[in-house]
Amino acid sequence: TLHKWPTKIETKEIYAGIKLLIISVILLPLLPNHGYGPWQAINPHWIWWMVVLLSGLSFIGYILIKYLGEDKGTMLTAITGGLASSTAVTLSLAQLAHQQKKVFSRIFIAGILTASSIMFIRVAIEVAVVNASLLTPLWIPLTVMLVLSLAGGIWLWRNHQYLNDEHPPIEINNPLQFLTALQFGLLLGVILLLTTAMEQWYGDQGIYLLALFSGLMDVDAITLSLSRMVKEGTDHNVATLGILIAVISNTLVKAGLFVFWAGFEKSKTLIWMILLISVAGLASLLPFI
């Protein structure tokens, strides 16, 4: 068994592991750990540490998909795929649902809910690494949304009709391409600068607006930015609500993607479930802010 494992490792995976070592062990210690630019908002060391963190999480997801295989079915693929990219899982399942009969949409919606639930866990990990004090109010809505998503996914999975044993192919590329890491680092720097600027210029409302639009593209960057800004004086409640707004915005985008690709008729169940999850998450936070 041990001898078989090395034969399954591809060259690109070896290179990916080397890249992970380079960006973490070699590059990270060389970067200055203090602020630059307006309001001293750009910290190269911290930004690159976040790149290393997210690259590591994505690499774990890639390895799980590659070596556990898709033979475990849609739900296992959704779980492992959600760690790397829940949006990629959503697009893949939505496109396949578009080609299938209506009854099939249930299992695909179950996969999307399960993959999306991984995002809540990822956000909690990111907050815990950067600023664990934010978890005190934030863990409640994240837990509520996580439980509802998993419960909905499991319920749909157990009650759907098995017409065949096919499951959707999820294509997730190697996440450790150096250009991808640079793009995320640039995005994080821009989000961090904009978040600080919006707070300075427009106060709390500016942060909420930026969180809303940032969540449409990526929930990680705004989560990491707001978590760090609390250490520099941003109000805990403002940062907590901003992160939750981004999470809900990103969740609603996934529903929109499924509606666009699979059609409204096949998406009704997903729409009301996503709305329920979002409202419950927001409502569970309001008493604490």
Side-chain angles (χ1 to χ4, degrees):
T1 300
L2 293 176
H3 281 257
K4 289 180 180 178
W5 288 350
T7 62
K8 297 181 179 180
I9 300 176
E10 298 184 21
T11 303
K12 64 178 183 179
E13 293 161 7
I14 297 176
Y15 284 135
I18 294 174
K19 290 177 184 177
L20 182 59
L21 289 175
I22 290 175
I23 66 175
S24 58
V25 178
I26 298 178
L27 291 182
L28 183 62
L30 296 177
L31 296 174
N33 191 13
H34 53 81
Y36 290 92
W39 307 289
Q40 305 294 302
I42 306 299
N43 186 311
H45 185 275
W46 180 81
I47 290 175
W48 200 255
W49 163 233
M50 295 303 103
V51 171
V52 172
L53 171 64
L54 293 177
S55 296
L57 289 174
S58 297
F59 187 61
I60 292 173
Y62 173 85
I63 294 298
L64 288 175
I65 294 171
K66 172 68 183 293
Y67 291 99
L68 290 182
E70 297 179 15
D71 57 317
K72 304 298 183 181
T74 300
M75 298 299 285
L76 179 59
T77 307
I79 293 172
T80 54
L83 184 59
S85 175
S86 58
T87 302
V89 174
T90 299
L91 288 173
S92 298
L93 296 179
Q95 291 174 0
L96 194 63
H98 175 70
Q99 305 170 13
Q100 305 296 330
K101 298 179 180 179
K102 180 179 178 180
V103 71
F104 269 150
S105 63
R106 276 197 166 199
I107 187 60
F108 301 139
I109 293 174
I112 290 172
L113 290 175
T114 304
S116 296
S117 69
I118 305 300
M119 177 184 66
F120 307 132
I121 300 176
R122 194 171 70 237
V123 168
I125 293 174
E126 292 167 356
V127 172
V129 170
V130 178
N131 190 347
S133 64
L134 275 182
L135 283 179
T136 301
L138 197 57
W139 74 267
I140 297 176
L142 289 178
T143 301
V144 169
M145 299 176 76
L146 171 64
V147 170
L148 289 177
S149 298
L150 285 177
I154 293 173
W155 177 74
L156 288 172
W157 173 63
R158 296 187 64 176
N159 288 278
H160 84 282
Q161 298 181 15
Y162 292 91
L163 298 186
N164 59 38
D165 58 358
E166 294 181 356
H167 55 272
I170 307 298
E171 296 293 338
I172 298 182
N173 294 325
N174 191 326
L176 278 180
Q177 298 179 17
F178 191 65
L179 179 59
T180 302
L182 288 178
Q183 289 173 341
F184 179 79
L186 178 61
L187 173 63
L188 181 58
V190 171
I191 293 295
L192 187 60
L193 182 60
L194 287 177
T195 306
T196 306
M198 294 291 277
E199 182 185 36
Q200 294 290 328
W201 295 339
Y202 303 107
D204 298 345
Q205 289 73 22
I207 291 181
Y208 298 147
L209 185 62
L210 183 62
L212 176 64
F213 287 104
S214 296
L216 298 177
M217 302 177 295
D218 176 79
V219 72
D220 299 313
I222 189 67
T223 297
L224 297 169
S225 298
L226 288 177
S227 298
R228 178 170 179 83
M229 287 178 62
V230 170
K231 293 183 176 181
E232 301 172 356
T234 300
D235 185 81
H236 274 68
N237 293 336
V238 173
T240 301
L241 185 56
I243 291 173
L244 187 60
I245 289 174
V247 168
I248 292 176
S249 173
N250 191 266
T251 302
L252 293 174
V253 164
K254 291 182 176 66
L257 290 173
F258 192 85
V259 172
F260 178 80
W261 284 103
F264 179 78
E265 194 64 28
K266 295 181 180 180
S267 307
K268 290 180 179 179
T269 302
L270 179 63
I271 292 173
W272 71 260
M273 282 189 169
I274 287 293
L275 290 176
L276 174 63
I277 292 168
S278 301
V279 171
L282 185 60
S284 64
L285 178 66
L286 292 180
F288 299 92
I289 60 175

